[in-house]
Amino acid sequence: MKIAIAGAGAMGSRFGLMLHQGGNDVTLIDGWKEHIETIRKHGLSANLNGQELTAQLKVELQSEVNLQNEMELIILFTKAMQLDKMLSDIQPMLSEDTKVLCLLNGIGHEDIIEKYVPMKNIFIGNTMWTAGLEGPGRVKLFGDGSVELQNLGEGEEETAKEIAQVLTNSGLNAQYSDNIRYSIYRKACVNGTMNGLCTILDTNMAGLGETSPAHEMVAAIIKEFVSVAQYEGVELDLEEVVAHVESCFNPDTIGLHYPSMYQDLIKNHRMTEIDYINGAVSRKGRKYSIPTPYCDFLAQLIHSKEEILEAH
């Protein structure tokens, strides 16, 4: 299958590499010129579960997308605040038949995608894979994961299942879901706790789990996600989701992983996606008159951290 990865950071590089290994025609697209040029010259270097490898992948700089290079499938992996610009830049790759799968963290991205892609071609999902970007052209990939996805357009269930099969054939463990918004909110609970707390506390997930207030903080944040989701018709079991999130603390699975927000802000001094995770819950809370003090405060802390790092 002819596939473009729009946003070839840590996770985009993982999916691009695995889909390439699965025999697909993959092109990585990103706005970081040094990253793209490194892959173009030397290939994508990866530590995959302890094995060092290099893969020669097609790459394109976001601002120089090929007018003649239409794709069958585009998987979106940009940062949330970069989504609109990416979709605008890659329009030459979008034909009337191009399917677009959004696997971004956060909530409500389809509102932006609909500006560029007809509803019948939009698929949304989430992934529990992890990845780390160690430098231009180099990623560290470990552990197992999965993908869930669903069509937004009516009658596109079979196409969604076909896309899931393509991913599964490349080892990405994908499956069709008939209730993806539940899965997206459940995943958002992971990001809404692990990302912000690990970033503020300067630790990995296992380190967070070792602190005595961890359970109370995690449960309080998730309770706000559950309340907002319920208002939107998504029923989450608070105790089950808390247990699911706290399973991330296990150092024998993914507990030693530093979440993407930590990588963005602490390691690379980049802006974060907090406004599309905890910030989104805060906005929805105000809209629905639901108190969200923990999400409000965590978003404020991350924004303050962004400003401090930017000033220095």
Side-chain angles (χ1 to χ4, degrees):
M1 195 174 197
K2 196 171 185 180
I3 302 172
I5 307 295
M11 195 68 74
S13 293
R14 172 187 271 282
F15 272 63
L17 174 61
M18 293 180 72
L19 286 163
H20 169 76
Q21 290 179 323
N24 296 282
D25 181 357
V26 177
T27 300
L28 303 180
I29 306 167
D30 203 81
W32 185 15
K33 188 172 184 179
E34 186 180 3
H35 183 51
I36 290 296
E37 289 299 324
T38 299
I39 298 172
R40 180 174 285 139
K41 293 177 182 177
H42 305 293
L44 176 66
S45 174
N47 181 310
L48 181 60
N49 293 323
Q51 177 187 0
E52 293 290 337
L53 59 88
T54 301
Q56 301 298 325
L57 294 169
K58 297 177 183 177
V59 292
E60 288 202 33
L61 192 61
Q62 180 179 333
S63 59
E64 300 174 358
V65 165
N66 190 333
L67 290 169
Q68 306 300 320
N69 205 4
E70 292 181 350
M71 295 290 161
E72 295 175 82
L73 173 66
I74 294 177
I75 304 178
L76 299 173
F77 267 123
T78 66
K79 294 299 180 183
M81 54 282 196
Q82 300 166 348
L83 178 59
D84 205 324
K85 181 66 164 60
M86 174 63 79
L87 286 166
S88 176
D89 286 344
I90 67 171
Q91 283 189 81
M93 288 185 165
L94 293 167
S95 73
E96 61 181 18
D97 297 319
T98 302
K99 313 305 179 187
V100 175
L101 171 60
C102 178
L103 294 177
L104 274 66
N105 290 333
I107 303 164
H109 304 302
E110 59 270 23
D111 296 338
I112 296 173
I113 301 171
E114 284 182 69
K115 293 161 50 178
Y116 301 93
V117 181
M119 182 67 75
K120 68 181 180 67
N121 289 341
I122 301 176
F123 301 81
I124 60 173
N126 65 29
T127 178
M128 297 304 293
W129 288 97
T130 61
L133 185 63
E134 296 191 319
R138 178 166 178 81
V139 290
K140 184 174 183 179
L141 313 173
F142 59 92
D144 293 319
S146 60
V147 181
E148 287 186 83
L149 64 93
Q150 185 178 11
N151 49 296
L152 284 188
E154 292 184 8
E156 297 296 329
E157 290 80 7
E158 289 306 312
T159 304
K161 292 174 184 178
E162 290 170 6
I163 293 171
Q165 191 60 55
V166 169
L167 298 178
T168 294
N169 290 345
S170 294
L172 287 160
N173 301 332
Q175 63 180 2
Y176 172 79
S177 169
D178 60 5
N179 189 12
I180 194 62
R181 294 189 190 280
Y182 167 85
S183 299
I184 286 174
Y185 260 104
R186 189 168 178 264
K187 169 71 179 296
C189 289
V190 177
N191 289 318
T193 51
M194 297 299 102
N195 272 285
L197 293 175
C198 287
T199 300
I200 291 299
L201 297 174
D202 195 8
T203 185
N204 57 29
M205 294 186 287
L208 169 62
E210 290 172 357
T211 67
S212 55
H215 175 75
E216 184 178 351
M217 291 190 294
V218 165
I221 293 168
I222 292 174
K223 186 176 181 180
E224 296 177 5
F225 276 79
V226 169
S227 297
V228 167
Q230 185 175 36
Y231 197 95
E232 297 192 338
V234 178
E235 297 292 332
L236 296 170
D237 182 320
L238 177 60
E239 290 185 6
E240 186 279 329
V241 176
V242 170
H244 169 63
V245 169
E246 291 183 336
S247 71
C248 296
F249 296 154
N250 187 347
D252 294 327
T253 54
I254 61 172
L256 300 181
H257 176 66
Y258 287 84
S260 59
M261 188 174 293
Y262 178 98
Q263 297 177 45
D264 286 337
L265 190 56
I266 305 302
K267 289 185 67 176
N268 300 311
H269 292 188
R270 295 175 180 168
M271 300 294 284
T272 74
E273 297 179 300
I274 194 71
D275 285 336
Y276 301 88
I277 307 173
N278 301 85
V281 170
S282 294
R283 288 193 301 276
K284 289 175 181 289
R286 290 191 294 272
K287 179 180 178 181
Y288 306 141
S289 298
I290 297 171
T292 58
Y294 273 79
C295 284
D296 297 349
F297 188 43
L298 191 52
Q300 290 167 346
L301 285 172
I302 293 294
H303 281 312
S304 295
K305 188 79 170 177
E306 289 172 338
E307 290 181 17
I308 289 169
L309 291 176
E310 185 178 12
H312 295 84

